[in-house]
Amino acid sequence: MLKQHAGLASVLGLICLIFSTTTEHFFQLTTFASIANQVPDLVLVAIGMTFVLILKGIDLSVGSVLALSSAVLGYFLVVHALPLIFAIAIALLTGLICGAANGIISVKARIPSFIVTLGMLEVARGLTKLVTSSQTIYIGTTIEFISTPHPMLRFSPAFIFAITVVMLGQLILTRTTFGRYCIAIGTNEEAVKLSGINVIPYQVSTFLICGLMCGTAGVIHASKLSSADPNAASGLELSAIAACVIGGTSLMGGRGNIISTFFGVLIIATLQTGLAQMGVSDPLKQLITGVVIITAVVSDSLRQRWTHLN
Amino acid sequence: MLPPKPLLKIHEISKSYATKVLKRVTLDIHHGEIHGIIGANGAGKSTLCNIIAGVTQSDAGEMHLNGQPYDPKTRRDSLNCGVQMVHQELSLISNLTVAENLFFTNLPTRAGLIDQEELHARATLLLDRLGLSAINPETIVGSLGAGQQQLVEIAIALSKSCTLLILDEPTSSLSTQETNQLFEWLQQIRSEGIGVIFISHRIPELKKITDRLTILSDGECIYSDTTDKIVHQQILDLIAGTAETTQPKEPFVSYATDEPALSVKNLSLLPNKAPISFFINRGERVGLTGLVGSGRTELLSAIYGVSDTSRGTLQINNGAEREVFRGAHQAARAGLGMLPEDRKKSGVMLNLDIKSNLTITSLRDQFSRAGFISEKNEFAAAIKAIRRLKVKCDHVSQKVRTLSGGNQQKIAIGKWLITDSNILLLDEPTRGIDAAARLAIHQLIAEAASTGKSIIMASNDLEELMHNCDRIIVLAGGEISKIFVRATWSYEEIIKSCFSPRKIENHSCIGQ
């Protein structure tokens, strides 16, 4: 495990080194602070996605569910003037309900989660537009503190929170019976079932976790923008999957690691920031990001095969 | 008697992966001979066959086929020379029909489309010729039982031009009747001058069908001569070369008590069949046999709650009668444990370590506190278990994939011993594993029985059951044909009861 983290950390280091030598402004505390404060929502979503992927599922609805949660937050804060804490609770609940729907429908009705969550992607986005009347709800300063960097630490509360969730997620995955069963089910569901374990609660739980993470990320996203944007986070599912995959999560299930996913997010974000600073055009940025994702996965699979042979 | 020039001459073939798998193996396969190969798992049998079939290449040594240098680089090379190989693992395409599988590489077409009529006609003809007319060529392969699939697979090999046929453990999923069918084919093709390499773990079978026998041990060919010159015990001794198998077979000791552990009442596996009722006592070992398709696996699945369609009641430890379990988790909670037939698919988690495999069923109850795994306890329990099970491995964090079949099987059984389940349902516990591991598993089963556990074990191998069970239940066509007790049973009687008259015609259609 540590070896894997070291590998990802050195890739991240290498990327930083390249940008540091090619642009003047990259190697500065401000750059790193801005990367850190930019990632919390993606980190949370990618953690949820990692759990889902480990159990051989996939959640394509994360971007829409995030948008719906932030829309719900904005709606209750602005239209109903609810206290912040209640509005946040409702936003989290929204994410949880979407996750529950994804999980229960795909697991109980045995429909591939790809399809169920593809449907949810549309449903949640449609609901977002209904809630916001397709217009950005300006929330104002009440929630800005979540994403405002601490003047001394340079990090926002959201980033600290995301780091905490990373640690917690890693702990759950590697040290609890829940995590062990998740990995076992992803490795060989049939064998786990025949070992007398009811796999359904675990499968549903990963979607619940993912939904809750989307809800949380929705709150953070809204705080970043000070508003709820009905088109927020579209395409986020792909970034989240990319982050998981760069971190070595297998789409075939059974393999995944929260800290590695965190590194995956950092690699993507650093790449984006660095390329932007270099003045690379958007099309080229996309192209390079794609190449990095594929390179990461190919090298990971080669490494896997190599360790298999030995 | 034998033609002077061998069909296939193998000269000092060596092959290494991480370790040396084959060490200068030399042997000849003649025209019209059935050549048996036996050896423990990892002895190099499969590697040798893969080299002959061009799946992999040797590091050193040479081969001659019909006097010509023979060095296949791919499977296609060997096929062009008429070398057919049937793997132990089924390689049929399960979504296609029997007919489509039979002629997969050579589908008859008309104007670019598959000519269904022609295909059907050819398939029917081929199946008839092989005595498999009970199989409908339009059946989807996936709906056939494992034994029938294996026969179809061998039929495919026989339908092609063939000078040398390699069969890697063809009988491990066949019933006695199907084995006899296979042996008839083999005798037929022997008379046509085709050479057959026949890999098996079953010594009686090898004695019965093979002309010559090669014994591999640790990558070396330690015996290669006519089968008649060697007796059962000698073969066993040569394979193992360890004290484990040279010990005289221990006499059967019964641990059966008269305290009931489980009664199965009016369990119906299939509609329109007589319901099944039987009981098993604590410490008792009950064998379950019958032809392929007789419902052995289905019965175990029904008891364990993993069959959706079965109806009936169970009574555990003289408790209240209850409906059959719905889901394995209910069964496991009630003290049942199951070893499924297909070890790699559902018995173990190949990509997880030994420790996680061993504790999967007991993790929550024995090795966790407030949801967190107590790793120290888990580790200690795993170490204790691999010592008790005599698993050959370097450490408990090793992936189960790296173990031999026999050791994997010990892990699959071991998890239930850690859980301390009272009733163990073992489906083909020694399928595809070597003689020494087989004996070790039999000892484990006896040990479990001696501590009061009840064991139901299903096997194709009647001798195995007769050596290890107090009673044997024979199933035929989804019903109990007869229940035999040790004191009065005989091999012939049990075999006969597998073929209770009404079911002979049906049995091959049951998988459909």
Side-chain angles (χ1 to χ4, degrees):
Chain A
M1 282 301 171
L2 277 173
K3 222 168 163 185
Q4 192 188 354
H5 299 151
L8 286 163
S10 55
V11 170
L12 186 60
L14 187 70
I15 292 173
C16 289
L17 188 71
I18 292 170
F19 286 132
S20 303
T21 50
T22 48
T23 69
E24 289 173 30
H25 314 293
F26 184 83
F27 199 75
Q28 287 173 356
L29 195 58
T30 358
T31 311
F32 293 117
S34 109
I35 291 173
N37 297 326
Q38 173 196 326
V39 296
D41 41 1
L42 183 57
V43 168
L44 294 173
V45 170
I47 290 170
M49 186 71 83
T50 306
F51 275 102
V52 172
L53 289 176
I54 285 174
L55 269 86
K56 245 184 210 167
I58 195 159
D59 190 347
L60 299 178
S61 68
V62 288
S64 301
V65 173
L66 183 154
L68 179 60
S69 302
S70 73
V72 165
L73 177 77
Y75 177 79
F76 281 102
L77 275 179
V78 176
V79 180
H80 291 275
L82 237 54
L84 183 60
I85 189 81
F86 290 121
I88 289 179
I90 296 172
L92 299 188
L93 194 65
T94 306
L96 211 53
I97 290 170
C98 293
N102 281 335
I104 292 168
I105 295 171
S106 66
V107 175
K108 279 283 189 183
R110 295 183 198 167
I111 299 170
S113 51
F114 187 97
I115 294 162
V116 176
T117 60
L118 185 64
M120 181 59 79
L121 180 148
E122 298 292 350
V123 169
R125 186 63 70 181
L127 284 174
T128 309
K129 289 181 178 164
L130 282 178
V131 170
T132 59
S133 310
S134 298
Q135 286 180 343
T136 302
I137 302 176
Y138 180 71
I139 298 172
T141 52
T142 38
I143 55 168
E144 273 177 5
F145 75 95
I146 297 172
S147 292
T148 309
H150 188 278
M152 298 286 289
L153 284 173
R154 299 287 201 112
F155 294 131
S156 63
F159 182 71
I160 311 281
F161 177 74
I163 293 280
T164 314
V165 177
V166 167
M167 294 308 172
L168 203 65
Q170 180 75 359
L171 197 70
I172 289 173
L173 191 61
T174 56
R175 294 293 165 93
T176 64
T177 53
F178 177 83
R180 172 73 65 77
Y181 283 138
C182 283
I183 290 170
I185 294 166
T187 308
N188 189 339
E189 186 185 326
E190 192 59 27
V192 176
K193 267 190 199 162
L194 290 178
S195 297
I197 314 283
N198 188 1
V199 299
I200 291 174
Y202 294 93
Q203 288 168 327
V204 174
S205 296
T206 57
F207 284 98
L208 283 175
I209 291 173
C210 194
L212 184 62
M213 290 292 109
C214 292
T216 320
V219 174
I220 291 171
H221 196 80
S223 79
K224 253 189 343 199
L225 304 175
S226 311
S227 55
D229 174 5
N231 296 313
S234 60
L236 187 78
E237 58 279 357
L238 299 182
S239 309
I241 293 169
C244 295
V245 163
I246 290 174
T249 304
S250 164
L251 292 183
M252 310 303 290
R255 206 158 67 85
N257 184 287
I258 306 296
I259 293 179
S260 300
T261 295
F262 179 58
F263 274 112
V265 173
L266 289 184
I267 287 172
I268 292 178
T270 309
L271 209 58
Q272 299 288 334
T273 307
L275 290 173
Q277 285 192 357
M278 279 174 76
V280 172
S281 68
D282 261 358
L284 206 56
K285 242 166 77 182
Q286 267 189 317
L287 192 149
I288 293 172
T289 310
V291 170
V292 168
I293 292 170
I294 294 173
T295 314
V297 177
V298 169
S299 64
D300 184 56
S301 98
L302 288 178
R303 194 177 57 86
Q304 285 283 316
R305 221 176 301 167
W306 191 77
T307 45
H308 237 123
L309 283 179
N310 289 279
Chain B
M1 182 176 80
L2 291 165
K5 211 168 198 178
L7 167 62
L8 177 72
K9 202 170 164 53
I10 297 169
H11 186 68
E12 299 207 334
I13 289 279
S14 296
K15 175 79 182 174
S16 304
Y17 291 108
T19 55
K20 256 190 178 273
V21 183
L22 289 175
K23 299 167 191 162
R24 298 158 74 93
V25 170
T26 295
L27 71 116
D28 294 340
I29 312 289
H30 295 282
H31 291 275
E33 84 162 348
I34 299 173
H35 193 113
I37 297 183
I38 190 169
N41 282 346
K45 305 175 305 261
S46 294
T47 308
L48 181 63
C49 288
N50 282 335
I51 289 171
I52 299 171
V55 179
T56 183
Q57 278 74 48
S58 60
D59 301 333
E62 52 190 26
M63 294 188 285
H64 287 85
L65 188 71
N66 278 321
Q68 300 292 317
Y70 172 67
D71 183 23
K73 296 288 183 215
T74 62
R75 189 76 184 81
R76 186 144 292 280
D77 286 352
S78 68
L79 284 171
N80 287 339
C81 296
V83 176
Q84 297 287 345
M85 173 153 162
V86 178
H87 286 274
Q88 186 182 354
E89 271 96 32
L90 297 170
S91 57
L92 297 173
I93 302 163
S94 58
N95 292 337
L96 298 186
T97 65
V98 171
E100 284 163 338
N101 270 286
L102 284 173
F103 296 100
F104 188 70
T105 53
N106 187 23
L107 286 169
T109 56
R110 194 195 291 153
L113 302 175
I114 295 173
D115 186 345
Q116 292 293 349
E117 280 167 37
E118 174 72 15
L119 177 64
H120 186 89
R122 284 198 209 172
T124 313
L125 198 70
L126 178 66
L127 289 171
D128 279 350
R129 210 182 73 210
L130 294 169
L132 288 179
S133 41
I135 297 177
N136 180 352
E138 300 304 312
T139 313
I140 299 291
V141 160
S143 66
L144 294 174
Q148 287 177 324
Q149 290 192 30
Q150 180 81 62
L151 288 183
V152 168
E153 190 137 6
I154 296 168
I156 293 173
L158 292 178
S159 72
K160 295 175 184 158
S161 81
C162 176
T163 55
L164 177 65
L165 176 65
I166 304 168
L167 299 175
D168 191 356
E169 281 199 56
T171 57
S172 59
S173 57
L174 296 187
S175 65
T176 314
Q177 192 208 24
E178 286 162 334
T179 304
N180 289 336
Q181 169 87 66
L182 174 67
F183 285 2
E184 267 174 44
W185 294 353
L186 292 182
Q187 272 148 3
Q188 164 85 29
I189 63 172
R190 167 164 60 187
S191 67
E192 290 165 12
I194 296 170
V196 178
I197 295 177
F198 185 92
I199 299 181
S200 177
H201 281 310
R202 299 182 180 168
I203 299 169
E205 256 173 35
L206 289 166
K207 290 288 288 175
K208 184 172 165 192
I209 189 73
T210 64
D211 303 302
R212 289 198 306 146
L213 185 66
T214 291
I215 301 173
L216 290 178
S217 173
D218 206 15
E220 281 178 89
C221 175
I222 53 171
Y223 179 89
S224 190
D225 206 341
T226 49
T227 310
D228 296 339
K229 285 191 188 160
I230 188 165
V231 299
H232 189 108
Q233 190 59 40
Q234 287 174 305
I235 298 175
L236 208 55
D237 291 348
L238 280 171
I239 295 167
T242 64
E244 243 178 317
T245 51
T246 48
Q247 287 168 358
K249 199 157 197 87
E250 285 167 35
F252 181 82
V253 181
S254 176
Y255 302 105
T257 64
D258 47 13
E259 301 161 53
L262 169 75
S263 346
V264 175
K265 288 176 186 163
N266 296 322
L267 186 70
S268 57
L269 296 179
L270 300 160
N272 311 323
K273 295 283 176 186
I276 290 174
S277 300
F278 69 93
F279 67 92
I280 177 166
N281 288 336
R282 296 192 61 205
E284 193 177 21
R285 283 165 281 171
V286 170
L288 205 56
T289 193
L291 304 173
V292 170
S294 60
R296 289 180 319 219
T297 298
E298 291 78 0
L299 176 57
L300 292 181
S301 304
I303 296 172
Y304 196 56
V306 287
S307 141
D308 293 333
T309 53
S310 55
R311 296 272 174 281
T313 57
L314 302 176
Q315 191 179 8
I316 291 164
N317 292 335
N318 258 343
E321 270 187 41
R322 54 157 297 158
E323 271 289 298
V324 286
F325 300 112
R326 293 277 170 247
H329 55 283
Q330 291 186 359
R333 211 176 304 137
L336 275 72
M338 158 103 148
L339 179 78
E341 186 178 12
D342 192 332
R343 176 175 61 242
K344 289 192 173 155
K345 206 175 124 223
S346 44
V348 290
M349 293 163 288
L350 290 173
N351 284 329
L352 286 191
D353 57 6
I354 294 173
K355 173 172 60 83
S356 308
N357 267 281
L358 278 169
T359 57
I360 182 91
T361 56
S362 48
L363 195 63
R364 245 179 328 199
D365 295 336
Q366 293 180 32
F367 306 109
S368 75
R369 208 172 300 140
F372 282 86
I373 299 170
S374 26
E375 305 209 2
K376 216 192 275 173
N377 294 349
E378 189 199 10
F379 197 75
I383 298 220
K384 205 175 121 193
I386 59 167
R387 289 207 183 116
R388 175 174 168 198
L389 298 163
K390 300 195 184 77
V391 173
K392 284 187 193 111
C393 63
D394 298 329
H395 48 86
V396 293
S397 308
Q398 201 176 332
K399 279 190 182 174
V400 167
R401 177 180 290 288
T402 60
L403 300 179
S404 72
N407 284 314
Q408 289 178 2
Q409 194 74 328
K410 288 180 192 169
I411 303 277
I413 298 177
K415 68 181 170 201
W416 296 115
L417 299 180
I418 294 181
T419 317
D420 209 21
S421 301
N422 290 320
I423 300 162
L424 299 177
L425 312 172
L426 312 177
D427 198 354
E428 297 286 350
T430 61
R431 181 180 173 185
I433 62 178
D434 67 70
R438 199 177 153 93
L439 200 62
I441 284 179
H442 290 161
Q443 279 165 358
L444 273 177
I445 293 171
E447 225 177 274
S450 73
T451 58
K453 304 202 180 309
S454 311
I455 289 130
I456 305 180
M457 61 188 279
S459 176
N460 264 327
D461 186 344
L462 185 51
E463 277 182 51
E464 173 177 36
L465 295 182
M466 293 182 75
H467 281 137
N468 290 288
C469 295
D470 296 287
R471 285 186 297 150
I472 293 177
I473 297 175
V474 178
L475 292 178
E479 299 175 3
I480 290 185
S481 170
K482 201 168 176 192
I483 299 179
F484 292 88
V485 291
R486 175 163 280 274
T488 55
W489 70 34
S490 78
Y491 188 86
E492 290 71 24
E493 291 267 331
I494 299 177
I495 288 285
K496 270 186 223 155
S497 74
C498 293
F499 298 87
S500 58
R502 194 154 58 84
K503 286 116 193 167
I504 288 181
E505 296 130 51
N506 291 352
H507 95 271
S508 53
C509 313
I510 279 158
Q512 294 171 19

